[in-house]
Amino acid sequence: MNGRADFREPNAEVPRPIPHIGADYIPTEEERRVFAECNDESFWFRSVPLAATSMLITQGLISKGILSSHPKYGSIPKLIFACIMGYFAGKLSYVKTCQEKFKNLENSPLGEALRSGQARRSSPPGHYSQKSKYDSNGSGHSSFVTSPAADNIEKEMLPHYEPIPFSASMNESAPTGITDHIAQVKVNKYGDTWDE
């Protein structure tokens, strides 16, 4: 032994490094095909229907008098706005579906980055493998695998928040530091003022 304790189980999974996907990343041919497919499907199956529906609803609201039309341009500005919002809502609503298509690609660095990003979000920070201590394997060993280097990185990257002390005497309806005492100012018949 080299003087260090090895806390990993022999069958524990070690995470693969996440491929770096930056602005300089060049997608593979298969990824380009999926990008084009996502763009086409999000336009025809989400953006066009949502834009048309939002325009119809907007025109109905204008014709019923719930929305007012512009004195000079009529309903055109509101219809254009509704169309643009429907278009972008359709594009945004297709993002999860498109991510799933990339995750299903076999030899895709982008798909691998999405898969490993999802795995990291679903596991607790610093723990890469987690099994219940009540598993049927019968071992009494801890099944948490942690990396001291990963814990140090997490401590550096995550902000440290100090707890705010609670005081039962603080009034929630008034900001702190402001008292309820209001100075009484007296004025005599000559206009002179003084504090009490």
Side-chain angles (χ1 to χ4, degrees):
M1 205 166 191
N2 60 5
R4 294 184 186 173
D6 188 13
F7 294 107
R8 285 186 270 171
E9 292 180 10
N11 297 335
E13 293 180 23
V14 177
R16 290 182 290 181
I18 299 173
H20 176 68
I21 307 294
D24 57 342
Y25 176 72
I26 300 171
T28 64
E29 195 61 40
E30 193 174 7
E31 289 172 342
R32 286 187 186 131
R33 180 190 57 78
V34 172
F35 272 124
E37 183 179 304
C38 283
N39 193 26
D40 194 44
E41 288 177 0
S42 68
F43 179 77
W44 289 110
F45 299 126
R46 300 283 176 94
S47 291
V48 169
L50 280 174
T53 302
S54 63
M55 288 175 63
L56 286 171
I57 291 171
T58 303
Q59 184 59 43
L61 293 173
I62 290 172
S63 66
K64 285 187 175 183
I66 297 172
L67 290 177
S68 62
S69 61
H70 191 273
K72 184 177 181 182
Y73 301 110
S75 63
I76 299 296
K78 286 187 173 72
L79 291 176
I80 290 173
F81 180 76
C83 180
I84 291 170
M85 290 296 109
Y87 173 81
F88 285 116
K91 287 288 186 179
L92 287 174
S93 71
Y94 205 73
V95 168
K96 291 275 189 201
T97 306
C98 198
Q99 283 178 346
E100 289 302 318
K101 287 184 178 199
F102 278 106
K103 288 177 188 177
N104 292 334
L105 291 178
E106 289 298 319
N107 297 323
S108 166
L110 187 58
E112 180 64 31
L114 288 170
R115 283 189 295 271
S116 58
Q118 179 185 18
R120 285 216 172 160
R121 280 192 299 271
S122 65
S123 65
H127 299 88
Y128 300 114
S129 173
Q130 182 178 9
K131 296 179 185 175
S132 170
K133 68 178 185 178
Y134 303 109
D135 280 349
S136 61
N137 63 5
S139 71
H141 302 298
S142 172
S143 59
F144 288 103
V145 176
T146 128
S147 164
D151 289 340
N152 289 339
I153 290 171
E154 287 172 7
K155 287 177 185 173
E156 292 172 6
M157 293 181 69
L158 296 176
H160 179 69
Y161 293 106
E162 291 293 327
I164 298 172
F166 175 76
S167 172
S169 65
M170 294 177 66
N171 184 356
E172 292 180 3
S173 64
T176 58
I178 298 175
T179 62
D180 292 334
H181 174 71
I182 299 174
Q184 297 290 327
V185 178
K186 297 264 184 169
V187 180
N188 64 10
K189 64 180 179 178
Y190 303 109
D192 298 328
T193 60
W194 69 92
D195 292 336
E196 276 191 13

